[in-house]
């Protein structure tokens, strides 16, 4: 997507040296656009763990390039490097999916052939994600067009949680892809952007993306969504996801479950956008089986922002000595999900519909 008129993919091989890997440092956004130049798998692992690079599909693509960097250095280290990268974050299944795809492509090759093959496979994963997310946009667009047709000359109000835009993928995004396409097609779209405590992916990243693309939006406190739904201010909720089980349960950023409850209570359609790499057919019950990442207390107790005189500072916003808990995801049961927007089309969040759409997935 574009920043200041320049097109970017969220992860790419450096055009000058042809082997190092470039990714945005998302912990610096929205204040500074800084590209990291990563030269080994340890730097990639740190970027994923620290959330310099984040978003389910993007951390999969990033890890794939981490394997490619490692194969340049030591092709004998394939299994160890894959295990290390796979362990960086536990909830997004895209990470395991990408690592397993890299292992399948490389483990049978002679070591001398692994580096070139790893870069080729990582590039294929990245291009697959970009094309997949563009297709998600196309399949989500009719949902917004139908709402616009029912309320001519009024904005279609979409609520989204966290960041499932192009910053969370290689390009386009998942939940935001239909929004970009609707805006570009001239539909009057407005997005309620959940700030998404504690990491503020909505306030810092989704707002940055939508602003850069000229999409009208309003940042709201996470707890405001239910009120807006009660007062008819939300036409549809579209969120991304980090893992969807074979039964249709949805793991996503903490707070998503509460939005789904409010949406059901107010008759607001609740759609989840995902690429094939986010499906985990090995898991049935999301609440009991999906590992939920517990991140550091400091993400809750501290807040980073820009001072009035332009300095980026981190301050404590929780009473001294008070501990904090920080589960980074929750699971929305399939019964609360109106449907899934995939690269192959829209389906119900049911085991039958998922199996029919993805018969090749075991
Ligand atoms: C396109 S899926 C993005 C998904 O990943 C985010 O998690 P995080 O920011 O912790 O990487 C969030 O759950 C988004 O919905």
């Amino acid at each position: 997507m574009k920043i200041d008129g320049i097109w970017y993919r969220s992860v790419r091989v450096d055009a000058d040296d042809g082997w190092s890997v470039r990714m945005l440092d998302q912990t610096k956004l929205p204040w500074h656009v800084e590209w990291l130049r990563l030269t080994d798998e340890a730097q990639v692992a740190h970027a994923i763990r620290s959330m310099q690079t984040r978003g389910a599909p993007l951390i999969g693509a990033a890890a794939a390039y981490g394997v490619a960097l490692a194969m340049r250095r030591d092709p004998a280290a394939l299994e160890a490097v894959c295990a290390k990268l796979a362990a960086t974050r536990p909830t997004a299944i895209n990470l395991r999916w990408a690592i397993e795809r890299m292992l399948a492509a490389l483990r049978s090759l002679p070591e001398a052939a692994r580096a070139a093959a790893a870069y080729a496979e990582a590039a294929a994963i990245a291009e697959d994600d970009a094309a997949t997310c563009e297709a998600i946009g196309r399949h989500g667009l009719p949902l917004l067009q139908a709402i616009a047709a029912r309320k001519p000359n009024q904005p279609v109000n979409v609520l989204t949680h966290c960041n499932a835009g192009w910053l969370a993928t290689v390009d386009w995004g998942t939940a935001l892809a239909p929004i970009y396409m609707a805006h570009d097609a001239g539909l009057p779209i407005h997005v309620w952007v959940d700030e998404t405590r504690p990491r503020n992916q909505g306030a810092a990243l989704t707002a940055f993306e939508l602003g850069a693309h000229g999409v009208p939006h309003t940042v709201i406190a996470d707890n405001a969504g239910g009120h807006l739904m009660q007062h008819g201010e939300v036409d549809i909720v579209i969120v991304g996801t980090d893992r969807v089980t074979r039964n249709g349960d949805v793991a996503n950023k903490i707070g998503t479950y509460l939005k789904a409850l409010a949406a059901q209570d107010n008759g607001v359609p609740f759609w989840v956008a995902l690429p094939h790499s986010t499906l985990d057919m090995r898991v049935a019950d999301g609440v009991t089986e999906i590992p939920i990442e517990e991140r550091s207390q400091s993400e809750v107790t501290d807040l980073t922002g820009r001072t009035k005189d332009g300095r980026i500072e981190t301050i404590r916003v929780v009473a001294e000595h008070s501990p904090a808990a920080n589960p980074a995801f929750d699971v929305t049961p399939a019964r609360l999900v109106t449907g899934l927007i995939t690269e192959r089309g829209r389906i119900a969040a049911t085991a039958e519909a998922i199996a029919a759409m993805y018969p090749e997935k075991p």
Side-chain angles (χ1 to χ4, degrees):
M1 295 303 276
K2 277 191 290 190
I3 303 177
D4 299 332
I6 302 172
W7 281 88
Y8 292 99
R9 285 277 161 84
S10 303
V11 59
R12 56 190 161 84
V13 173
D14 185 282
D16 296 328
D17 64 29
W19 65 268
S20 65
V21 178
R22 294 288 190 162
M23 304 178 201
L24 272 171
D25 181 346
Q26 296 192 29
T27 62
K28 296 290 192 337
L29 291 172
W31 316 115
H32 301 296
V33 176
E34 285 181 23
W35 288 90
L36 300 170
R37 178 174 177 271
L38 307 177
T39 58
D40 64 32
E41 72 280 8
Q43 290 174 358
V44 173
H46 170 73
I48 294 171
R49 267 195 304 272
S50 67
M51 295 177 65
Q52 288 175 310
T53 292
R54 46 138 307 273
L58 182 56
I59 63 178
Y65 275 109
V67 175
L69 288 167
M71 292 302 98
R72 276 188 89 251
R73 179 181 57 79
D74 177 7
L78 176 63
E79 303 286 345
V81 165
C82 285
K84 177 178 175 180
L85 288 165
T88 49
R89 295 188 74 189
T91 304
I93 194 62
N94 313 65
L95 186 53
R96 188 181 78 195
W97 170 84
I99 292 294
E100 288 179 350
R101 181 165 157 175
M102 294 300 285
L103 280 168
L106 301 176
R107 61 167 37 120
S108 61
L109 295 180
E111 291 181 6
R114 285 179 173 175
Y119 274 92
E121 193 66 15
I125 287 172
E127 287 312 302
D128 171 74
D129 185 64
T132 296
C133 290
E134 186 171 11
I136 290 169
R138 288 197 302 275
H139 288 299
L141 177 58
L143 294 171
L144 303 178
Q145 289 170 324
I147 295 168
R150 294 199 301 270
K151 48 186 296 192
N153 305 317
Q154 296 174 68
V156 175
N157 288 309
V158 187
L159 184 143
T160 194
H161 190 71
C162 199
N163 172 254
W166 70 268
L167 286 170
T169 66
V170 174
D171 205 339
W172 284 104
T174 56
L176 296 192
I179 291 167
Y180 287 130
M181 289 192 179
H183 173 77
D184 291 349
L187 266 65
I189 296 287
H190 168 263
V191 184
W192 295 112
V193 177
D194 276 357
E195 60 178 343
T196 316
R197 286 279 294 144
R199 292 283 308 220
N200 285 1
Q201 288 95 325
L205 304 179
T206 298
F208 170 80
E209 278 198 37
L210 295 176
H213 205 81
V215 179
H217 61 281
T218 306
V219 178
I220 56 175
D222 289 324
N223 296 325
H227 164 75
L228 292 169
M229 293 183 210
Q230 281 177 326
H231 290 266
E233 296 291 336
V234 180
D235 297 307
I236 186 171
V237 177
I238 306 180
V239 297
T241 173
D242 296 80
R243 190 184 309 211
V244 173
T245 73
R246 64 173 181 267
N247 289 350
D249 292 345
V250 172
N252 197 47
K253 186 53 50 196
I254 192 76
T256 304
Y257 171 46
L258 296 178
K259 286 300 156 357
L261 287 171
Q264 185 177 69
D265 193 51
N266 291 281
V268 175
F270 184 90
W271 285 83
V272 178
L274 72 144
H276 60 83
S277 53
T278 306
L279 265 179
D280 182 1
M281 303 300 274
R282 301 181 206 176
V283 167
D285 182 291
V287 173
T288 58
E289 296 184 71
I290 295 177
I292 299 297
E293 181 182 13
E294 183 74 30
R295 293 187 63 90
S296 73
Q297 296 186 46
S298 64
E299 292 185 353
V300 177
T301 61
D302 302 350
L303 205 52
T304 298
R306 188 183 62 193
T307 62
K308 299 284 187 209
D309 59 357
R311 287 173 293 108
I312 307 301
E313 298 282 353
T314 298
I315 59 173
R316 185 176 174 94
V317 292
V318 167
E320 212 61 52
H321 313 307
S322 292
N326 186 13
F329 299 94
D330 59 25
V331 174
T332 300
R335 61 180 165 77
L336 298 177
V337 179
T338 304
L340 305 174
I341 307 168
T342 78
E343 73 279 0
R344 301 182 185 180
R346 298 187 305 278
I347 53 175
T350 63
E352 297 74 20
I354 292 169
M357 183 65 91
Y358 293 96
E360 79 283 3
K361 280 198 174 259

